[in-house]
Amino acid sequence: MDKLTQIGLQKTDSKEIGERLNELLANYHLYYQNLRGFHWNIKGVHFFQLHAKFEELYNTALTRIDEIAERILTIGQTPLHTFSDYVRVASIKEKGNLSGDVETVRATHENLTLLLSLEREILSMAAETGDEGTVALISEDINENEKTLWMLNAFLS
């Protein structure tokens, strides 16, 4: 039995990384949906700033969702693709009925902190197994998410 994937990675390693990437995919979907709700429902003196920022963030999240799903396929696994799976697997929870500036930014900060924690775990796993494609994908995402987290912290301080 062949122990390598079509791209030369160990099948057992790719299965484990695929499971974690699916967890990240599920969390990104909840993060995305929360951002859409914040974008639609934001009110108050920071409306124009946050309405635009939430749109920027959810568009970025949508791109990352696609990249994560494609990476899962590249390493020989199957991406989750139902919302019920996303809700079941994700640590991020749906945030309904939020419209204030501080509460929506705080919720976004919490969601992004969860994403970063999971990404760091995946980065470590991928590095240990020689999965440079996943390392590159996750490293780039961590860099952008850290910058966004810094900005959210500045807003909240």
Side-chain angles (χ1 to χ4, degrees), residues 39 42-55:
H39 168 77
I42 192 70
K43 294 180 178 149
V45 297
H46 296 107
F47 169 82
F48 289 105
Q49 291 170 299
L50 291 176
H51 183 74
K53 189 60 169 177
F54 289 137
E55 183 173 12

Side-chain angles (χ1 to χ4, degrees), residues 28 31-33 35-36 39 51-67:
Y28 250 109
Y31 173 65
Y32 167 83
Q33 194 59 43
L35 290 167
R36 291 294 303 244
H39 168 77
H51 183 74
K53 189 60 169 177
F54 289 137
E55 183 173 12
E56 174 192 324
L57 292 174
Y58 76 64
N59 283 328
T60 299
L62 189 56
T63 298
R64 291 200 177 121
I65 285 167
D66 192 55
E67 292 169 347

Side-chain angles (χ1 to χ4, degrees), residues 19 28 30 33 50 53 60 78 80 91 121 130 134 144 155:
E19 288 170 1
Y28 250 109
L30 273 290
Q33 194 59 43
L50 291 176
K53 189 60 169 177
T60 299
T78 303
L80 298 175
S91 301
E121 291 173 18
T134 299
E144 289 300 314
F155 182 91

Side-chain angles (χ1 to χ4, degrees), residues 9-18 75 125 128-129:
L9 298 173
Q10 291 292 323
K11 284 185 178 180
T12 54
D13 294 338
S14 290
K15 185 177 185 307
E16 290 175 27
I17 291 170
I75 64 172
M125 285 178 67
E128 287 175 15
T129 64

Side-chain angles (χ1 to χ4, degrees), residues 2-157:
D2 191 12
K3 294 181 180 184
L4 297 179
T5 66
Q6 290 183 349
I7 61 170
L9 298 173
Q10 291 292 323
K11 284 185 178 180
T12 54
D13 294 338
S14 290
K15 185 177 185 307
E16 290 175 27
I17 291 170
E19 288 170 1
R20 297 311 303 270
L21 285 171
N22 262 320
E23 187 180 342
L24 181 63
L25 180 66
N27 278 287
Y28 250 109
H29 270 282
L30 273 290
Y31 173 65
Y32 167 83
Q33 194 59 43
N34 285 338
L35 290 167
R36 291 294 303 244
F38 301 159
H39 168 77
W40 292 330
N41 296 304
I42 192 70
K43 294 180 178 149
V45 297
H46 296 107
F47 169 82
F48 289 105
Q49 291 170 299
L50 291 176
H51 183 74
K53 189 60 169 177
F54 289 137
E55 183 173 12
E56 174 192 324
L57 292 174
Y58 76 64
N59 283 328
T60 299
L62 189 56
T63 298
R64 291 200 177 121
I65 285 167
D66 192 55
E67 292 169 347
I68 294 163
E70 288 174 354
R71 185 64 194 166
I72 293 167
L73 288 163
T74 300
I75 64 172
Q77 304 303 308
T78 303
L80 298 175
H81 56 274
T82 65
F83 211 75
S84 59
D85 283 338
Y86 302 146
V87 171
R88 178 181 51 80
V89 171
S91 301
I92 291 175
K93 301 302 177 202
E94 297 170 317
K95 301 285 187 178
N97 302 314
L98 298 183
S99 61
D101 55 0
V102 173
E103 66 185 350
T104 55
V105 171
R106 186 171 288 127
T108 302
H109 182 282
E110 291 169 5
N111 291 342
L112 204 50
T113 300
L114 284 169
L115 287 174
L116 275 167
S117 176
L118 181 54
E119 286 175 329
R120 288 183 176 119
E121 291 173 18
I122 293 168
L123 182 68
S124 179
M125 285 178 67
E128 287 175 15
T129 64
D131 181 352
E132 292 299 322
T134 299
V135 167
L137 174 71
I138 299 300
S139 291
E140 182 180 326
D141 201 33
I142 286 173
N143 185 48
E144 289 300 314
N145 285 339
E146 286 174 341
K147 183 177 178 181
T148 301
L149 199 59
W150 163 68
M151 291 178 182
L152 295 173
N153 278 323
F155 182 91
L156 292 170
S157 60

